[in-house]
Structures are given as C-alpha cells and as structure tokens.
Amino acid sequence: MRTSAKYGAVAGLGSLLLTSITVAPADGTTTVGAESRGTAVAAERAAAAGIDFGRCPAVEKLPDSVRCGTVKVPLDYADPSGRQIKLTVSRVGASGRKSEQQGTLVYNPGGPGASSMTFPLAAEQPEWKRIAEAYDIVGYAPRGVGRSAPLSCQDPKDFLKAPTQAMTHPSASYKKERIAQARAYAKGCADKNGAALRHYTSLNNARDLDVLRAALGEKKLTFVGASYGTYFGALYATMFPSHVRRMVFDSAVNPAPERIWYRNNLDQSEAFETRWADFRAWVAKHDKTYGLGATPEEVARNYEKVRARLAREPAGGTVGPGQLHAAFLGAGYYDGYWPLRAGALSEYLKGNPEPLIAQAAPEPGSAKTSENGNAVYTAVECNDAPWPENWLTWDLDNTLLAQRAPFETWDNAWMNLPCAFWSAPRQQPLDVRTAPGALPTTLILAAERDAATPYAGALELQRRLAGSVLITEEDAGTHGIGGGSNSCVNDHLEDYLLRGETPVRRASCAPHPEPDPVSLDRRAEQRKLPHTV
C-alpha cells in the first residue's frame, strides 16, 4: 500500500472479487525451516563482525556527526553462504550519561522503499532529544533501497515523465493504456533484476532486521517502525518474539493476511476520500484567506477547475493533473501541507502558477531515488501475497469504489497494477500473532482519521499482538504521529522507550492544533523579516 516516509521522505468493502488469483508460495515448510536456520547463521556471523562505523560517503549528504557503515545479509536466507548483499547503516551515538544509556534504537519510516539513513539527524530535534540521550539513534536503507543492493525497473527519466493525467473515472481507452504500462513495468522489473527479484520481501526485511540487531551488538531489539515499518515490525515480533526489547508501531498497517496487499490498498483509497473531505472543510473554513469557497463543495469545484485547466495547458510545461493530484495527495498524509497547497491553488486561480509549480513539478535530481523507491515498493508488495490476475477483478472493484471514493481510487490502482502481471513467485502472508507472555509489551500509535493506514489496522494489530497498548490521537489524520506535534503522544512515546511504562491497554490524546492558515503574501512578508530569538 502506498505510504509516506517521514524521515528519508476504515470502512470495509464488504464483498471484493478475488478470483483468478494464482499463488506459487515462495516459502514452503521446508524452505521456512531453511530460512530460519539461515537467519540464525547470518545473525551469528554479523554479531562476530559488527559494523565498522566511519565517515559517511558524500552521496549520503550527512554531517560528520553521523557515522555510517554496512552489514552483510544473505540475498536468500535459505542459502546463507550464497550471495551476500550489503545494507547501509547510519548512527549517532547516545548523547546522555553513559550510566543512563540503553543501547540502540533502530528506525524504519515505511514505504516499502523508504530509507532512514537521515533519521539520526532527528537526535537534534526537541521531540527526540531525550530519547537520543538514552539511545544510539540508528537508521538504515532496507534491501533494494538506496545503496543497499538497489532495485530498478525502468529508466528514471521515464519514471518522472511529466505532465501526466489523473482520471477519477477513466475511459476504456485510458484503461488499456495503463494496463499496457503496468505489464511493461512488471516485465522491466523481471528483466532488470532476474532471479534476485523474488528475494525482496517483507519476510526478508524482518530477517534483515534481526541480522542488523546482531551486528549492532544487541541481544534484544528496540525498534520504531512507521507505516509499512509496522508491518514487517509485526512480522519480526511474530518470528522473533524472544529478540524483542521494545517495539513501537506508529500508524499501523492492517496485518490480517487476507488484507495483504490488495484489500489494504482498497481500504486506503476509501480512507483518503474522508481525508480529502477534511482538507476541503478546512479550506472552506478559511475562505477569507484563500477565496476558494465557503463550503467543501465550492472548494472541490475550484480544484476541478484547476485540474481541467492543467489538462489543457500544464503549468510550467510539467504540472498536469497527475502532478496536481500527487501534490494534494500529500495533504492527505500531513496537514502541515494544507496552508501551502491551499495557497498554491488560490494563487493559480489568480493567475500566478509559480507556487503550484514549486510544489508539484517533478524534480529531475530526484528521479533516480524516486524510481528506486517505486521499484522496491512494487517488488515487495507483489512478492508478498496473492494478487488478482484477472483485469476484470481490478476493473469492477475500483469502478465500484470510485463511485463513492473518487479522489485516490484509480491512481492507487494504477500504482499497484503491475502486481497483476508479476512473474516472480508469490508468498502466502504470515499470520501475525503472538501468544500471551511471548512478547514484551509493545506500543501502537495511531491517528483516528489516518488515511494512509486506516485506524482499523491499529485495532487489528492490537488484537494480534498479545499485551500491546494502543495510543490514539483522536479526530486527527496526520500519518506518522510519534515525535510530531502532539505532546501527549510524545509523552507516551518517551514513557515507553525511556522507562518501559505504558497505560494498561489503551489511552487517547486530544488532536494536535489545526494548521494556521497563513496566506502566501503573509509568508513572503515573514521571509523578509530578520531572524529573532
């Protein structure tokens, strides 16, 4: 499912058609046993080798305060002495007194396809400072990401080709065009990566995490996973419960096997419709600032007016409906974007396209990173689980859903459609579940109106991880809330990571304040003011 990286970068559908699914399980019983033994071998080897941290390569663009290294993991855990790949790792040492330090904290921001190599920089942020006094803060690039045996499925220049369309109700001819693109993309993944492609999975991400734990010299893992990071974190908790010290699941993916990944993506598309409505209601409330309409419906009409105009004449030659939609999808993840996006829409309608171009135009310098992230996303999700192979299934499910949730449905479908034509073997998702007493207390953080990982996922994860505790930010929808702007959430995060303290089972936090509707003119005035303390 499409998720957003914080550091780098649900209503059920009732009856979904899942016919014509072909599964060639990558993990039979014999293979699972071999991979379990292979993980133990790799972890023992990594514990002996450790990680040689030194100055980070220039390509990472990290300051000298951050140290970098690599850890070797098997490409195929069933063959631990076979081909090895290197995962890049970054670290900032704990800043507090040695007597109060608690080892390392490993962070993953989600994706699939996101890196946390820059996460050690969070140690300087006020929200993480006390945690960084107690822990070495560790980030890493999972397999396939960045310099960690990178995956690619097409020419990066083609991946960021713009302008593009974003049809809420696509025509038959447009569907044929996108089917052809998805088929070609799946073939590109297979052709570029060969037999190695099948080994980029969530299960292997969990195994890699255990090898990283061992390489860091930790007998037990302290881990914070956000978004997709909660899913392979939950796999880790299921596979290695005795290796867990503390785990935080921030914005939880629904781990139920039947929802990985096709149904989860449909749930996500439905949830984004609610979040899109939240954004429009906020803009309407601040009509005096933006002039986009005093009702959510008027705001929607102005958005559609901009979309139609961009279809005829792309802004700056590169911002079409597809780029507009991607920019406003970001507002569904993070309400801090709301003033910027509303301001850009307002300025565009006044005849000034520059703010919209600045926020929505593709950045050629990011093409390689963006294409790499998308390749990893696709490989992991397609490999992880069965997907419908009959186009009629996709067409019917998404056509019905788009009638009530048009904002994100079809764009999400196109992003995942290569999985219908995937040639690598599919796995059966692991049944995430722990018995009472098998796992230390874990902490789940969730915003009640999160669209990227709908709240039902947090409830499902808590049901499956015995003894877990759920902290809910009520009536809020920002994706990834730990270390954010809600002090109540951060207090619970600190209590858990620093002292192992949690509420008995559940607790709630009031929502963080809504964004301040600052106009673009006002922002320009503020930028001219001298800095003050």
Side-chain angles (χ1 to χ4, degrees):
M1 65 195 303
R2 182 184 301 184
T3 56
S4 175
K6 191 173 181 181
Y7 296 92
V10 185
L13 294 182
S15 58
L16 295 176
L17 295 180
L18 286 174
T19 56
S20 304
I21 292 179
T22 301
V23 186
D27 284 281
T29 304
T30 303
T31 307
V32 167
E35 289 174 332
S36 179
R37 291 189 295 273
T39 306
V41 168
E44 184 178 357
R45 194 163 51 208
I51 300 176
D52 184 15
F53 283 104
R55 178 169 294 194
C56 296
V59 68
E60 298 292 353
K61 299 179 180 178
L62 291 169
D64 287 344
S65 59
V66 181
R67 304 277 93 180
C68 291
T70 61
V71 58
K72 288 183 180 179
V73 299
L75 176 68
D76 178 3
Y77 277 95
D79 182 17
S81 297
R83 179 184 167 188
Q84 305 291 300
I85 59 177
K86 291 182 179 180
L87 309 184
T88 60
V89 185
S90 58
R91 183 180 70 180
V92 162
S95 60
R97 288 182 293 185
K98 196 168 186 64
S99 61
E100 297 177 357
Q101 293 177 13
Q102 300 187 43
T104 60
L105 183 152
V106 179
Y107 181 86
N108 179 272
S115 168
S116 61
M117 286 293 289
T118 62
F119 181 67
L121 299 178
E124 297 300 319
Q125 296 182 6
E127 296 83 1
W128 290 93
K129 201 169 184 68
R130 282 186 290 273
I131 295 171
E133 289 174 354
Y135 290 94
D136 293 353
I137 302 299
V138 173
Y140 74 108
R143 62 171 58 203
V145 180
R147 295 183 297 117
S148 297
L151 284 180
S152 175
C153 292
Q154 69 177 132
D155 188 323
K157 294 178 183 177
D158 292 335
F159 180 74
L160 281 190
K161 186 168 55 178
T164 57
Q165 296 299 316
M167 297 185 181
T168 53
H169 302 289
S171 63
S173 61
Y174 184 72
K175 289 176 182 178
K176 287 182 179 178
E177 180 183 337
R178 296 308 300 258
I179 291 168
Q181 289 176 8
R183 193 187 300 273
Y185 189 83
K187 185 177 185 301
C189 291
D191 290 347
K192 281 179 170 284
N193 302 288
L197 184 62
R198 66 183 292 172
H199 299 295
Y200 291 81
T201 66
S202 293
L203 287 172
N204 278 342
N205 283 337
R207 296 176 182 119
D208 290 347
L209 186 58
D210 199 52
V211 177
L212 175 58
R213 170 201 60 77
L216 290 167
E218 299 290 354
K219 292 191 178 300
K220 292 181 181 289
L221 175 71
T222 301
F223 176 74
V224 177
S227 195
Y228 165 73
T230 69
Y231 178 60
F232 78 82
L235 295 178
Y236 185 95
T238 302
M239 298 161 69
F240 309 103
S242 65
H243 295 184
V244 173
R245 178 178 178 267
R246 290 173 190 160
M247 295 193 86
V248 178
F249 304 91
D250 185 356
S251 304
V253 169
N254 190 326
E258 66 273 12
R259 306 215 81 78
I260 307 296
W261 287 105
Y262 182 71
R263 284 186 169 108
N264 261 334
N265 275 285
L266 290 165
D267 291 344
Q268 186 186 67
S269 294
E270 185 148 18
F272 265 110
E273 196 66 27
T274 300
R275 198 63 182 145
W276 172 233
D278 290 346
F279 168 70
R280 290 184 288 114
W282 178 87
V283 175
K285 187 164 64 175
H286 300 292
D287 184 45
K288 288 184 179 179
T289 300
Y290 301 113
L292 292 170
T295 67
E297 293 74 21
E298 290 177 3
V299 175
R301 284 194 289 272
N302 274 311
Y303 178 82
E304 292 301 326
K305 184 186 298 183
V306 173
R307 184 214 288 264
R309 192 177 298 175
L310 291 173
R312 296 191 302 270
E313 185 179 352
T318 60
V319 178
Q323 289 65 46
L324 175 75
H325 178 269
F328 279 81
L329 180 66
Y333 282 93
Y334 178 51
D335 57 19
Y337 288 147
W338 288 6
L340 289 169
R341 298 295 187 264
L345 206 65
S346 176
E347 286 295 302
Y348 180 86
L349 288 171
K350 293 175 185 176
N352 175 19
E354 294 306 316
L356 183 61
I357 294 170
Q359 294 179 42
E363 299 179 13
S366 70
K368 184 176 180 180
T369 299
S370 297
E371 192 279 326
N372 168 239
N374 194 77
V376 176
Y377 168 92
T378 306
V380 170
E381 294 216 352
C382 295
N383 284 336
D384 268 2
W387 288 80
E389 294 183 350
N390 185 341
W391 161 248
L392 295 178
T393 301
W394 293 74
D395 196 19
L396 179 57
D397 287 341
N398 287 280
T399 297
L400 290 173
L401 180 56
Q403 292 176 7
R404 62 183 184 276
F407 177 71
E408 168 63 355
T409 294
W410 277 108
D411 268 27
N412 206 3
W414 304 136
M415 184 171 185
N416 293 289
L417 189 57
C419 294
F421 310 109
W422 203 246
S423 59
R426 318 298 183 90
Q427 297 184 328
Q428 289 287 3
L430 181 69
D431 186 22
V432 168
R433 197 177 301 278
T434 60
L439 187 69
T441 299
T442 57
L443 188 70
I444 303 169
L445 309 177
E448 198 171 31
R449 299 178 71 80
D450 185 357
T453 52
Y455 186 66
L459 298 175
E460 183 67 21
L461 182 61
Q462 187 181 33
R463 282 192 288 269
R464 289 170 172 271
L465 296 183
S468 57
V469 174
L470 172 60
I471 308 298
T472 300
E473 185 181 17
E474 295 182 332
D475 199 31
T478 284
H479 182 63
I481 60 176
S485 59
N486 192 311
S487 60
C488 170
V489 172
N490 293 338
D491 287 346
H492 283 294
L493 181 64
E494 283 192 4
D495 286 344
Y496 176 69
L497 288 177
L498 298 181
R499 293 172 288 279
E501 299 173 355
T502 65
V504 174
R505 181 160 172 78
R506 290 185 183 176
S508 295
C509 292
H512 64 273
E514 286 189 339
D516 179 27
V518 180
S519 71
L520 292 183
D521 289 342
R522 176 66 174 155
R523 285 177 182 272
E525 291 171 8
Q526 289 176 334
R527 283 196 296 270
K528 295 175 185 176
L529 296 175
H531 291 292
T532 57
V533 178

